[in-house]
Each structure stands twice: as C-alpha cells, then as structure tokens.
Amino acid sequence: MNMPRPGVGEFDLIRRHFQRPAHPQAPGVALGIGDDCALLVPEPGHTLAVSTDMLVEGRHFLAGAEPTHLGHKALAVNLSDLAAMGARPLGFTLALALPEANEHWLAAFAQGLFALADAHACPLVGGDTTRGPLNLCITVFGQLAPGQALRRSAARPDDDIYLSGRTGEARLALALLLQEPWAVQACGAQALEQHPQLQQRLDQPTPRLALGRALAGVAHAAIDVSDGLAADLGHILAASGVGAELDLSALPLAEGLQPLTAARRLQCLLNGGDDYELVFTAAPQHRATVATAAQTSATPVSRIGRITQSPGLRALHPDGSSHSIEAQGFDHFG
Ligand code: ADP
Ligand code: MG
C-alpha cells in the first residue's frame, strides 16, 4: 500500500488500531491479521457464506459522519447480509481508503467497529489500507448448516410474510438531517433531539443475526431491508416467481413517524431504506415456530402479509381497499 503520511506507516497503523489478540469465542479463525491470507475453518460439512458491502462517503453516509458510528454501520450492514441468509459469522476483512491517517478518527472508527464485532464474536482477520477518498469496504464470512440457507428464491404461495423490528425511522432521520421540508414541517426542527432513536436507527442499525440463525431451516425466503421494504420484498417476489399482499395496518409504526402525513408515513415505511430489518416468509403451519424464533432471539417480529400465486405487490388498507405498490427502492444508477 501507499504510506498514509510520512512517519505513519501502514503496518504501524494496522497494528495500533486493528490488530488484536485472538478472539477466544471465534474458533473459526486459524490465522488472523499479519500473513498473506487469513485462514478460516468452518465446522465440518458446513457451507461458507460470503458477502461484501462498501460504504462510500457522500453516497452511503454524509461527509463528516461520526467515525464511531461509521465503524458500527460498516460492519452492521455486512452482518445484516449474513443474518438474511441465516448464517453465523466467522470473521471479516476490512479494505479501507483514507484521505489521511487521522489518529482520532481511526481510534473512534475502531471503537465502533470492534464493539459490534465483539458482540457477535466476529473477529477482523485481514484487510487492505490505502490512501484515497474515504471508502469502507467490509467482507464478512459466515457458516451455515447444509441446506439451511434462506434464499430469496424460496418463497411459496400462501407463505406468511414477516418483518423484524420496524421500518421508516432511518429514512425520516436522513430527511431531518438534510432538512427536507416535508420532514421538518411535520416533525419540527427539534425532532432529532426529541426522538434520539430516529438517528440511532440510521447510524447504528442492529443486524438481526440471532433471528436469522433461529429461522435457518424454518423460514423459506429472507432478505434484509437496505433499499426499502417494498423494493427488497420485491426481490424475493421476483426471485421466487410469486406476488404478495401487504397488510398495511400490520406494519409497526414508530412514534417518531406519527406526525407525518399518511402518504409520507407510508413512503417511509415502504420505500425508506437503510432499515436493516429482515423480511422473511414461512409456511402458515410454522407460525408457532416463528414465534419461538422471535422469542429466543429477543427480536420483535410482525406478520405483515401473505405470498400469492399471482405476481405483483398489493397493499391492503384497513378499510378493505387495496392498491398496487411500485417497488421503487433506492437505485444507485437510477
Ligand atoms: P499484502 O501486501 O499481502 O496485501 P498488506 O501489507 O496489505 O499485505 O497487509 C499486511 C497484513 O495486514 C495482512 O495480513 C492484511 O490482511 C492486514 N491488513 C491490512 N490492512 C488492514 C486493515 N485495514 N484491517 C485489518 N487488517 C489489515
Ligand atoms: Mg494489501
């Protein structure tokens, strides 16, 4: 790599901020940081699950974002993908482009990163460091028992559709940060101070790993909501060749969203993005098993709809009317 700045070498930077003693609860790592490759050892017969997500300044987070939160979020969005597959984390790598080697920034970033990594016994096993516009790219490695992956293509007609947690708060927080008039007018200029959980949902999403693992082998299809509930459920529908009815009155509504007009509220709930909740489907005869999975993983889960044979996504209103939903999520090239 290139030296970040004269006197601060890459190896020194890595050693001080990223190299840590072997994690006692991570038996899947035979060799971590420091060699040409890390060596991972999944349990015999298990499948390796791999996912990469990149966070780019100005695209996925605002310039000047708090580094502790960035450390958390960069890993959280990746762990969320393991959760959506039903996998257990083994470890992760971190490719980092930094405009400068800022010690305070790095220490805070590492703090947020490792707090979440430790909570899930998911050690940092390697990476790459270079100078460049701020860019955080993490690859997570996980394992799954054979045949237990929660694939997007596995939804079946008459499956129930479930959502963990609730959607919409991250989108509203972003709108308030950007001072979008519809949000500020409805919620007031102090909304972020009055409802701290709004911004927490944007900055520090909770990857639903325990729920995902409890659902492996039980649920059919699953996906994590990064681009909006409608868009991500739409991916399941497309991959599975099915449609869905969403019961709008079953969608949990955060207190922070209540001042919004009905139309904006619905937009946050369905097309918000950055929620990192799980949407999954399961056969109706597994309702009790799903409830147990929610309970053992201490994760709120709501039944929000039903998979249909006929294609398309329909929203059912409390008054019995329905309308067709465009799955317009966030598209980076749209
Ligand atoms: P190489 O020349 O083989 O690419 P590097 O000099 O880039 O090796 O990295 C040396 C060691 O430090 C490797 O084990 C690599 O995985 C690790 N490493 C580099 N950057 C990071 C980082 N940002 N986080 C964690 N480990 C890193
Ligand atoms: Mg390298």
Side-chain angles (χ1 to χ4, degrees), residues 166-177:
R166 57 200 186 195
T167 56
E169 286 158 296
R171 177 66 186 93
L172 179 56
L174 181 65
L176 289 166
L177 281 176

Side-chain angles (χ1 to χ4, degrees), residues 10-11 14 18 33-36 94 96 124 126-129:
E10 174 195 11
F11 301 115
I14 296 165
F18 297 116
I33 292 177
D35 214 313
D36 299 311
L94 168 67
L96 201 55
L124 177 61
D128 199 22
T129 314

Side-chain angles (χ1 to χ4, degrees), residues 131-206:
R131 188 198 272 268
L134 185 56
N135 190 335
L136 318 166
C137 183
I138 284 179
T139 301
V140 280
F141 302 86
Q143 71 169 35
L144 270 164
Q148 294 213 331
L150 303 171
R151 296 174 190 234
R152 296 179 183 188
S153 56
R156 294 177 209 161
D158 292 327
D159 272 3
D160 292 317
I161 304 171
Y162 298 88
L163 173 70
S164 73
R166 57 200 186 195
T167 56
E169 286 158 296
R171 177 66 186 93
L172 179 56
L174 181 65
L176 289 166
L177 281 176
L178 297 174
Q179 301 188 349
E180 292 180 29
W182 61 268
V184 179
Q185 277 159 22
C187 302
Q190 307 301 312
L192 288 174
E193 287 78 31
Q194 285 161 355
H195 301 281
Q197 83 279 6
L198 283 177
Q199 200 172 342
Q200 196 185 340
R201 295 281 292 150
L202 176 67
D203 290 338
Q204 296 176 283
T206 305

Side-chain angles (χ1 to χ4, degrees), residues 214-228:
L215 292 172
V218 174
H220 287 158
I223 191 168
D224 64 321
V225 181
S226 54
D227 297 333

